[in-house]
Amino acid sequence: MKKNTMTLTNNMTGDSYEYKILEGTRGSCVVDIRTFFADSGMFTYDPGFTATAACESTVTFIDGGKGELRYRGIAIEELANNHTYLETCFLLLNSRLPSEEELYKFDLEIRHRAFLHEGLRHLFNAFPDNAHPMATLSAAVTALSTFYNDHLDMTHEEEFLEMAHRIISKMPTIAAFAYRHSLGIPFIQPDIDLGFTKNFLTMMRAYPGGKMHLCANGHEDIKDVEVRALDTIFTLHADHEQNASTTVVRGVASTGAHPYVAISSGISALWGRAHGGANESVIAQLEYIGSVENVEAFIKRAKDPDDDFRLMGFGHRVYKNFDPRAKILKNLQDELREELNLDTELMAIARKIEEIALSDDYFISRNLYPNIDFYTGIILTALQIPKSMFTPIFVIGRTVGWITQWIEFKKDKTSKIARPRQLYIGE
Ligand code: CMC
């Protein structure tokens, strides 16, 4: 009879060890090697965790081969097309979509919590104008922990949720303040009359007093189509399983540090261009390429093993078919092309890169497809969002995912401090 175990044999000594194979509800099985060191006196070696599952989770499911992504069992296509970002936040935190009444209450609470303590507002003045908003954001979120000391010994569901709602609600305000500080222009306070996404766009764009700019036709307000596009971008970024920044958040959580400090560490991890920083690098790279005629030369560089140049917005550790988030954004781009005036030179360069890369053997053989970051920049540029704010926008969307994973870690009785070992090769 077949057993659901795996036997590992040490060919140097002939010793054998048997380990259970655990089955999840979907996706790959895992071999439970928790006793491996105690059994064999050896560690497993897996730099970059390419073959390691570090936790059990019920939050997000990804099938990288099929290009499938689900939050709490619901397909990302369903959420992006038929639900708002706030509904998605509620889903991640509560494992189900809200009723109409629950959504009303949740929305109201998020609006009310968006204001920052005056002391925190003054903190922004301490940073130089040319600070990258990601650095300011990470520092301000660490500072937020100084205002909410009560959250170190949470035991009740309500305390977890209050802490989560607060950070979800304040993140857009902190991000918009970081941006406005970098321009040296007055902060715009959150407007209680506005929903989550429109409020953020207003805090980014408005003149003091919360007014939009005047144009030939009168007062130019934020368009519904812009709110919908950004709301979808937030939904697509809401969670992504055990990615680098979430792994950092869980790692900090494992030491017992404050949840907002864990989130701040996640922000720092996200900043790098191999992760969330790629969305800023994609547009910087398109600008650097400069024109459609130059695309072939850059594709050649991306394929050259002696050149460090990589095509930003291509490839993914998990998706080896296509990134379903990228597919949704590509459709959204096509849909919004006219309304948001997307037919720019940058768009033409991006289309050329996509066309060549998708038919080139180098990219096909390595399963390198456009990822989410390849498409966000073009849409965000059309929404008048500057490049330096692309990754902070990723942060706003991902905050709910980080905090949901933080809560899951805290509630998991089997969780332990993250403490990997090493293969020592020094003196
Ligand atoms: N351009 C050219 N070649 C690439 C690229 C690229 N963007 N990405 C991977 N490769 C090549 C790489 O050189 C290697 O080739 P070879 O086998 O000949 O040495 C092969 O593909 C495998 O690459 P890898 O670095 O071992 O793959 P990884 O899974 O460790 O890295 C990645 C994944 C996303 C870091 C990488 O594809 C990359 O650097 N992409 C560009 C940055 C980017 O767009 N990041 C955003 C990821 S999506 C947003 C998020 O969830 O964070």
Side-chain angles (χ1 to χ4, degrees):
M1 197 179 83
K2 275 191 195 159
K3 281 169 78 183
N4 57 347
T5 60
M6 182 178 276
T7 302
L8 294 175
T9 304
N10 179 341
N11 293 325
M12 293 194 289
T13 62
D15 294 335
S16 281
Y17 315 101
E18 194 170 313
Y19 297 99
K20 263 200 194 134
I21 295 176
L22 307 179
E23 248 179 279
T25 42
R26 291 172 196 254
S28 307
C29 296
V30 305
V31 186
D32 183 352
I33 53 156
R34 277 176 285 188
T35 61
F36 186 71
F37 176 68
D39 296 339
S40 68
M42 284 189 278
F43 297 112
T44 57
Y45 183 59
D46 182 23
F49 312 126
T50 53
T52 297
C55 61
E56 285 183 347
S57 183
T58 63
V59 183
T60 290
F61 172 74
I62 301 175
D63 184 327
K66 288 192 195 145
E68 185 182 349
L69 168 63
R70 290 172 184 273
Y71 300 157
R72 300 287 190 193
I74 301 184
I76 191 66
E77 292 79 8
E78 162 68 13
L79 292 167
N81 295 329
N82 301 319
H83 298 276
T84 62
Y85 174 67
L86 272 198
E87 287 175 89
T88 303
C89 288
F90 187 99
L91 168 72
L92 285 167
L93 289 168
N94 300 282
S95 310
R96 60 178 175 81
L97 283 164
S99 67
E100 215 172 294
E101 195 191 335
E102 284 170 329
L103 182 62
Y104 176 79
K105 278 193 188 155
F106 181 54
D107 180 27
L108 208 61
E109 184 181 346
I110 295 295
R111 289 177 194 224
H112 277 91
R113 289 188 183 278
F115 298 86
L116 302 186
H117 189 288
E118 280 296 291
L120 185 60
R121 194 171 66 84
H122 293 309
L123 178 85
F124 289 88
N125 295 331
F127 300 117
D129 287 354
N130 62 357
H132 193 288
M134 283 297 280
T136 311
L137 199 56
S138 174
V141 172
T142 291
L144 194 65
S145 67
T146 66
F147 294 91
Y148 301 102
N149 268 330
D150 50 320
H151 280 312
L152 280 174
D153 314 306
M154 277 172 283
T155 44
H156 295 105
E157 189 67 18
E158 305 81 64
E159 291 173 302
F160 282 122
L161 288 178
E162 183 189 28
M163 177 272 301
H165 295 174
R166 184 187 287 131
I167 189 79
I168 291 167
S169 173
K170 292 191 193 310
M171 198 61 92
T173 315
I174 297 175
F177 280 20
Y179 167 63
R180 296 187 77 100
H181 173 73
S182 74
L183 296 183
I185 58 175
F187 300 138
I188 300 292
Q189 291 295 338
D191 184 341
I192 203 95
D193 286 337
L194 300 179
F196 185 87
T197 301
K198 188 163 184 180
N199 200 9
F200 172 67
L201 278 174
T202 307
M203 289 189 285
M204 286 287 294
R205 278 198 215 158
Y207 282 75
K211 296 272 183 292
M212 290 301 139
H213 58 267
L214 290 171
C215 64
N217 303 329
H219 198 72
E220 192 174 79
D221 200 3
I222 289 162
K223 300 184 191 99
D224 289 347
V225 64
E226 297 180 292
V227 176
R228 184 164 71 84
L230 186 57
D231 203 75
T232 306
I233 287 177
F234 286 149
T235 298
L236 297 178
H237 286 93
D239 193 55
H240 213 228
E241 206 227 56
Q242 308 310 318
N243 56 84
S245 55
T246 302
T247 299
V248 167
V249 169
R250 281 182 175 257
V252 178
S254 80
T255 70
H258 194 288
Y260 297 159
V261 173
I263 301 286
S264 165
S265 309
I267 294 172
S268 303
L270 191 80
W271 190 2
R273 64 192 203 132
H275 194 7
N279 56 15
E280 182 178 339
S281 303
V282 168
I283 292 294
Q285 194 168 81
L286 296 179
E287 287 169 352
Y288 181 62
I289 293 172
S291 81
V292 172
E293 292 75 59
N294 297 335
V295 168
E296 297 266 10
F298 281 95
I299 296 267
K300 209 169 154 198
R301 282 189 62 190
K303 290 165 27 174
D304 181 353
D306 299 323
D307 192 331
D308 282 345
F309 181 86
R310 279 191 172 202
L311 265 194
M312 287 293 118
F314 269 77
H316 199 277
R317 170 62 64 79
V318 181
Y319 295 120
K320 298 300 175 196
N321 182 332
F322 63 89
D323 179 341
R325 305 166 301 172
K327 216 172 168 184
I328 294 168
L329 280 186
K330 185 176 159 53
N331 290 341
L332 191 69
Q333 246 187 24
D334 292 341
E335 219 179 286
L336 302 179
R337 221 167 146 177
E338 271 178 36
E339 277 182 283
L340 289 183
N341 206 6
L342 294 179
D343 277 322
T344 57
E345 180 67 15
L346 285 192
M347 178 82 163
I349 299 171
R351 279 182 185 269
K352 185 75 183 170
I353 292 177
E354 193 186 1
E355 185 191 306
I356 300 181
L358 289 179
S359 57
D360 187 299
D361 190 53
Y362 172 93
F363 293 91
I364 296 170
S365 62
R366 289 170 180 74
N367 297 314
L368 299 172
Y369 294 90
N371 57 49
I372 186 169
D373 294 321
F374 189 70
Y375 299 104
T376 38
I378 298 274
I379 298 178
L380 293 178
T381 304
L383 299 183
Q384 303 172 35
I385 307 257
K387 274 200 303 282
S388 65
M389 284 303 288
F390 290 2
T391 318
I393 280 176
F394 194 150
V395 169
I396 295 172
R398 182 57 55 85
T399 298
V400 65
W402 287 328
I403 208 69
T404 304
Q405 300 265 355
W406 187 93
I407 294 172
E408 186 175 70
F409 181 90
K410 283 291 168 187
K411 288 181 175 173
D412 181 355
K413 297 273 181 281
T414 66
S415 60
K416 281 177 177 292
I417 186 167
R419 179 57 171 95
R421 301 303 297 265
Q422 62 178 11
L423 176 65
Y424 180 69
I425 55 166
E427 290 295 320

